[in-house]
């Protein structure tokens, strides 16, 4: 089993930055692909970014390209999502997820509890 815990969320003004962290316990993350997803009120959960086990394969949804950066530090068992130039439409609960296979879909085996990110205009 892999337990994932997100941190780093909060309230920020439009144009600001936040860095989300996702730390794993139970197993090392070095064998897993990792994804970030988000769910805004009244909307379905959507893919944000994903990174393969080595960090060499990375995908982003179009709306965050050039603003968000996903990275990982396998030695620290942690994955990051650096979010710059935040917009009010980025407001959502953000989830990290882990799976052996890299995917932009929601078919990840392990999920964190989610963390709120609120961007004020």
């Amino acid at each position: 089993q892999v337990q994932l815990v997100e941190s780093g969320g909060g309230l920020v003004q439009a144009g600001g930055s936040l860095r989300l962290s996702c730390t794993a316990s139970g197993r090392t993350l070095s064998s897993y692909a990792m994804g970030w997803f988000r769910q805004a009120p009244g909307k379905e959960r959507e893919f944000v970014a994903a990174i393969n086990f080595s960090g060499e394969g990375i995908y982003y949804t179009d709306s965050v390209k050039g603003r968000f950066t996903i990275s990982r530090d396998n030695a620290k068992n942690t994955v990051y999502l650096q979010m710059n130039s935040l917009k009010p439409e980025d407001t959502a609960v953000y989830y990290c997820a882990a799976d052996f296979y890299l995917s932009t879909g929601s078919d990840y085996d392990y999920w964190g509890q989610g963390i709120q990110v609120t961007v004020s205009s």
Side-chain angles (χ1 to χ4, degrees):
Q1 287 288 338
V2 177
Q3 291 81 43
L4 303 173
V5 178
E6 301 95 341
S7 61
L11 174 64
V12 64
Q13 288 187 333
S17 298
L18 283 174
R19 188 177 79 158
L20 302 183
S21 299
C22 173
T23 301
S25 60
R27 289 187 180 179
T28 177
L29 280 184
S30 59
S31 299
Y32 291 86
M34 301 296 297
W36 284 98
F37 293 78
R38 65 187 180 187
Q39 186 167 20
K43 295 187 177 181
E44 294 186 352
R45 185 165 55 190
E46 66 170 351
F47 167 77
V48 176
I51 186 168
N52 75 340
F53 71 98
S54 68
E56 295 178 354
I58 292 175
Y59 297 91
Y60 297 100
T61 193
D62 286 345
S63 63
V64 307
K65 285 180 180 177
R67 300 189 299 122
F68 290 12
T69 303
I70 188 172
S71 62
R72 65 190 300 157
D73 185 339
N74 287 336
K76 295 183 178 179
N77 237 23
T78 300
V79 175
Y80 305 97
L81 185 68
Q82 178 67 44
M83 305 185 294
N84 299 328
S85 302
L86 282 161
K87 304 175 181 179
E89 51 263 44
D90 294 317
T91 295
V93 176
Y94 283 71
Y95 299 88
C96 70
D99 196 275
F100 281 121
Y101 302 103
L102 182 64
S103 172
T104 60
S106 297
D107 50 343
Y108 281 69
D109 282 341
Y110 304 103
W111 291 84
Q113 81 287 352
I115 193 163
Q116 180 69 45
V117 170
T118 303
V119 184
S120 63
S121 57

